Amino acid sequence: MSETSRISPDAILAARAERPKLRARDLAAALGVPEAALVAAETGRAATRIAAHPNALMPAVTELGEVMALTRNESAVHERVGSYLEYHPGEHATMVLGPEIDLRTFPKHWAHAFAVTEETEAGLRRSLQVFDAAGDAVHKVHLKPASDVAAFDRLVATLATGDESREFDAAPRTPPEGAWIREDRIDILRKEWERMTDTHQFLRLVSKLKMNRLGAYRAAGAPYAEPLAAEAVTAMLERSAAEGIEIMLFVGNPGCIQIHAGTIHTLTPMGPWQNVMDPRFNLHLRADHVAEVWRVWKPTQRGPAISVEAFDEEGRLILQCFGKRKEAEPVAWNAMAAELAPAETAEATA
């Protein structure tokens, strides 16, 4: 039985009408359906099914002008205003490169896409919304007042699939990996880690050794990876803002990684959320979801790359943050990262 078979599209629309101010993700959770089911229920009305593959979608998005890009996972939302500029297509991975919108996408997870035009209290709101096979959001593009509406209309006309189904048949979600460690390969991991010349070699290394990111961090230990206190993420954001440290902040899910490069300024805590509320960049982080934080050292040809990385209690990566590198090493970032509070031993091994 599919996840959406318990509730009809009309019942979904009725529930939305009853709770118009509830965020889509929260309403979906309350109804026991994936978020994509809420959008699919609007097909033929506010939503149009469109081609989902980034090689089809992203070139058209570059015509929209200034928009807001949104990528999220269970614990963090990354929102960046700007234009999609250089799109680099690919079969297994693609990139959008620009000073504001900077993405890495993984097409196999781009299963469903919709163009949405909905009436709100603030007026007509247009967006493009991409979901994985389980119906979880991969990436969204929200039009801004300066966006090219005619380009949006052309995109919809060109990429519409003609599928008018309002049902959403969700595939099962892939369970979290947790930490994979091969005790018999830890010495090899440390030796090969020392020999890296680029950060992109790391995941190939751990995959070859039948580990994953979190497992490798736990296995390698200092000086390669050192556990920090859960509060270190908030401290890192606060000090980066206070000291004007330029950072590269990554938030992603299996289908998309979105990157902010530059400074942050306005931090606004609200309940469990830690929020960066800058004019062109917002981060919304569930600080209470942070279960493990690691300070990670990786050698490169341009000097060491030091990151602060947060994971939830099921081992899912929430965010990564590096110092923004220019011609020289990010000295201020490196110094600040070195001073973040270490974890208690119990926290590190829990």
Side-chain angles (χ1 to χ4, degrees), residues 79-100:
E79 302 171 350
R80 194 68 165 88
V81 175
S83 298
Y84 289 67
L85 298 177
E86 296 180 41
Y87 177 65
H88 297 261
E91 182 180 356
H92 304 294
T94 82
M95 297 188 294
V96 175
L97 299 179
E100 293 187 296

Side-chain angles (χ1 to χ4, degrees), residues 14-240:
R16 294 200 76 172
E18 291 171 0
R19 291 176 274 186
K21 294 187 177 180
L22 192 63
R23 292 182 181 275
R25 191 177 182 90
D26 295 333
L27 177 59
L31 296 176
V33 300
E35 185 182 349
L38 273 63
V39 185
E42 297 279 6
T43 301
R45 305 172 187 187
T48 302
R49 291 179 181 265
I50 59 175
H53 198 290
N55 285 352
L57 185 56
M58 288 292 112
V61 173
T62 64
E63 303 296 319
L64 297 178
E66 183 173 280
V67 294
M68 188 269 278
L70 185 154
T71 300
R72 70 167 301 156
N73 53 47
E74 289 289 332
S75 305
V77 186
H78 190 297
E79 302 171 350
R80 194 68 165 88
V81 175
S83 298
Y84 289 67
L85 298 177
E86 296 180 41
Y87 177 65
H88 297 261
E91 182 180 356
H92 304 294
T94 82
M95 297 188 294
V96 175
L97 299 179
E100 293 187 296
I101 307 297
D102 189 357
L103 306 175
R104 308 293 179 268
T105 75
F106 306 95
K108 74 176 183 179
H109 298 285
W110 292 50
H112 306 275
F114 301 84
V116 181
T117 303
E118 54 190 334
E119 290 284 355
T120 71
E121 293 179 355
L124 203 61
R125 184 168 63 185
R126 298 172 177 85
S127 65
L128 304 168
Q129 304 188 26
V130 181
F131 300 89
D132 65 13
D136 293 325
V138 172
H139 186 62
K140 297 182 182 181
V141 181
H142 291 274
L143 271 64
K144 303 287 287 180
S147 302
D148 188 334
V149 174
F152 178 84
D153 293 339
R154 290 194 301 271
L155 181 156
V156 177
T158 301
L159 298 183
T161 65
D163 182 355
E164 294 291 322
S165 172
R166 297 173 59 216
E167 302 281 348
F168 187 82
D169 189 14
R173 287 188 175 95
T174 302
E177 289 183 346
W180 297 353
I181 299 175
R182 285 289 302 267
E183 298 288 345
D184 59 328
R185 297 182 179 180
I186 292 175
D187 287 343
I188 300 172
L189 171 67
R190 292 172 179 150
K191 290 176 183 177
E192 293 296 320
W193 195 316
E194 288 275 4
R195 296 174 182 157
M196 286 195 297
T197 57
D198 188 284
T199 57
H200 297 99
Q201 296 168 354
F202 176 75
L203 289 181
R204 292 195 294 271
L205 169 61
V206 298
S207 177
K208 179 181 73 173
L209 298 179
K210 306 301 182 185
M211 302 190 202
N212 62 4
R213 182 190 300 276
L214 181 57
Y217 293 168
R218 289 184 182 179
Y224 312 100
E226 301 171 280
L228 302 178
E231 296 77 18
V233 174
T234 293
M236 175 267 293
L237 293 171
E238 290 174 343
R239 286 196 55 181
S240 295

Side-chain angles (χ1 to χ4, degrees), residues 51 68 229 239 265 301 331:
M68 188 269 278
R239 286 196 55 181
H265 302 280
Q301 291 180 325
V331 176

Side-chain angles (χ1 to χ4, degrees), residues 290-326:
V290 175
E292 292 186 48
V293 183
W294 292 85
R295 178 173 52 232
V296 183
W297 171 89
K298 298 188 183 86
T300 78
Q301 291 180 325
R302 301 172 60 194
I306 297 171
S307 60
V308 174
E309 309 189 15
F311 296 81
D312 69 13
E313 63 181 4
E314 294 186 292
R316 290 175 293 208
L317 180 63
I318 297 173
L319 62 78
Q320 295 174 290
C321 198
F322 293 78
K324 185 180 178 184
R325 186 185 293 271
K326 296 180 180 178

Side-chain angles (χ1 to χ4, degrees), residues 240-312:
S240 295
E243 298 173 23
I245 298 172
E246 289 193 295
I247 61 175
M248 295 188 69
L249 198 154
F250 297 63
V251 169
N253 54 59
C256 188
I257 299 169
Q258 187 164 309
I259 306 162
H260 164 76
T263 54
I264 59 174
H265 302 280
T266 305
L267 285 167
T268 308
M270 184 175 295
W273 293 92
Q274 176 60 267
N275 304 289
V276 177
M277 301 296 289
D278 292 342
R280 298 179 74 82
F281 171 61
N282 287 179
L283 172 73
H284 308 291
L285 169 67
R286 279 292 298 259
D288 59 329
H289 285 189
V290 175
E292 292 186 48
V293 183
W294 292 85
R295 178 173 52 232
V296 183
W297 171 89
K298 298 188 183 86
T300 78
Q301 291 180 325
R302 301 172 60 194
I306 297 171
S307 60
V308 174
E309 309 189 15
F311 296 81
D312 69 13

